[in-house]
């Protein structure tokens, strides 16, 4: 079994690499991939760099080049739902791309050509995350994540995304990773810890909480890996 653990920024995968201690580094397509054995399974870990293009490249590489059979994403996001505060965890039920717009041809906002507006994340992994949340005594919200090539630091844009996609959180990679995994038939799980409220203070909040929120998310994702290992042995 080979599991991909992906983030967008160095801070998002650093806690995972730290926990593993030793790993093999391989360069591919101008990015670094870290491989390690962990409790009898194989892991491939990478941060893609920010945005939909890089995250598409990295997710595809992890699956097609490194042979990952399952993908877990760990990172931070802006909150859309007022229920979500900095440090809270969100598990994506489904994901959309808020900046994909071919509405001029009668399609709804976010419509993926020959696809749909949303891509559903793997139900079994979501169920597993509920067990992990219980064991860790964490309150984890399951919700819709909207993705776009845009750091949202604007109340109006955030509200539009919330109303149009019924989104609870927004970020810049999940929706594209979802399309890749769906096309390649690889079960995927996207977890985000809130770093900001996607409002006018978002960049300051992001800078202040990126590291602590990234650790929250990474710890949870490693517990997911443990759960998966426990179920397979
Ligand atoms: N500080 C970085 C840019 C960070 S972009 C630089 O200078 O290069 C924000 C990253 O965190 C993205 O990977 C995105 O997925 C996530 N994110 C957190 N809050 C966000 C927000 N309000 N809008 C969009 N993405 C957000």
């Amino acid at each position: 079994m080979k599991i991909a653990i992906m983030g967008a920024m160095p801070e998002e995968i650093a806690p995972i690499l730290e926990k593993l201690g030793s790993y093999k580094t391989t360069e591919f397509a101008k990015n670094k991939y870290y491989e390690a054995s962990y409790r009898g399974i194989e892991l491939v870990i990478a941060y893609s760099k920010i945005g939909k293009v890089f995250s598409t490249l990295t997710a595809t590489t992890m699956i097609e080049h490194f042979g990952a059979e399952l993908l877990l994403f760990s990172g931070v996001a802006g909150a859309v739902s007022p229920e979500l505060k900095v440090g809270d965890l969100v598990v994506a039920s489904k994901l959309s791309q808020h900046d994909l717009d071919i509405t001029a041809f009668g399609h709804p906002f976010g419509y993926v050509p020959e696809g749909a507006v949303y891509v559903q994340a793997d139900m079994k992994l979501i169920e597993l995350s509920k067990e992990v949340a219980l064991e860790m005594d964490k309150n984890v919200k399951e919700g819709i994540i909207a993705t776009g090539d845009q750091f949202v630091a604007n109340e109006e844009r955030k509200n539009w995304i919330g109303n149009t996609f019924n989104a609870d959180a927004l970020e810049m990679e999940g929706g594209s990773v979802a399309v890749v995994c769906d096309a390649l038939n690889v079960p995927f799980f996207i977890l985000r810890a809130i770093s900001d409220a996607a409002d006018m203070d978002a960049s300051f909040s992001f800078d202040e909480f990126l590291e602590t929120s990234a650790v929250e998310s990474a710890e949870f994702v490693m517990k997911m890996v443990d759960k998966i290992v426990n179920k397979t042995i």
Side-chain angles (χ1 to χ4, degrees):
M1 158 86 91
K2 195 168 202 174
I3 300 179
I5 306 178
M6 181 177 166
M9 291 170 284
E11 292 84 351
E12 290 171 333
I13 63 159
I16 293 161
L17 294 179
E18 234 167 75
K19 185 177 160 82
L20 295 174
S22 70
Y23 40 81
K24 176 181 153 204
T25 307
T26 307
E27 286 213 17
F28 185 85
K30 295 191 178 170
N31 204 5
K32 287 197 175 75
Y33 291 82
Y34 308 97
E35 290 173 278
S37 296
Y38 178 73
R39 298 187 53 206
I41 61 157
E42 298 304 310
L43 298 178
V44 55
I45 301 145
Y47 75 88
S48 58
K49 293 174 276 189
I50 291 157
K52 294 198 293 179
V53 173
F54 279 139
S55 56
T56 299
L57 175 62
T58 297
T60 306
T61 299
M62 289 172 126
I63 296 165
E64 288 296 306
H65 187 77
F66 289 94
E69 298 150 272
L70 198 86
L71 188 147
L72 310 176
F73 192 105
S74 179
V76 300
V80 178
S81 161
E83 268 176 50
L84 289 168
K85 306 288 178 227
V86 166
D88 287 352
L89 292 170
V90 195
V91 164
S93 52
K94 53 185 186 173
L95 301 101
S96 63
Q97 295 177 60
H98 66 72
D99 58 351
L100 183 46
D101 180 355
I102 45 171
T103 54
F105 300 93
H107 299 290
F109 282 107
Y111 176 73
V112 177
E114 298 187 30
V117 174
Y118 299 98
V119 180
Q120 184 79 47
D122 187 73
M123 301 284 204
K124 282 197 197 132
L125 290 171
I126 294 175
E127 283 309 311
L128 212 61
S129 76
K130 291 181 183 161
E131 290 178 32
V132 172
L134 265 178
E135 282 166 27
M136 290 180 80
D137 199 20
K138 287 252 176 219
N139 193 5
V140 179
K141 185 178 170 64
E142 189 181 329
I144 296 174
I145 291 184
T147 299
D149 277 327
Q150 193 174 67
F151 182 80
V152 179
N154 171 312
E155 202 89 37
E156 204 180 315
R157 178 72 186 162
K158 157 179 141 164
N159 291 337
W160 181 84
I161 292 168
N163 293 332
T164 310
F165 298 97
N166 206 10
D168 296 290
L170 54 82
E171 36 84 313
M172 304 177 69
E173 299 83 19
S176 38
V177 170
V179 170
V180 168
C181 292
D182 180 61
L184 297 173
N185 220 359
V186 166
F188 72 96
F189 175 78
I190 311 264
L191 181 76
R192 296 276 181 170
I194 299 302
S195 56
D196 58 85
D199 54 10
M200 60 188 278
D201 299 323
S203 62
F204 307 105
S205 178
F206 175 89
D207 282 342
E208 189 174 347
F209 297 111
L210 164 63
E211 251 174 79
T212 47
S213 293
V215 167
E216 286 283 331
S217 177
E219 278 176 357
F220 192 95
V221 158
M222 282 314 286
K223 291 274 190 248
M224 287 285 292
V225 174
D226 285 332
K227 258 274 173 272
I228 294 164
V229 173
N230 293 344
K231 299 244 170 191
T232 49
I233 52 175

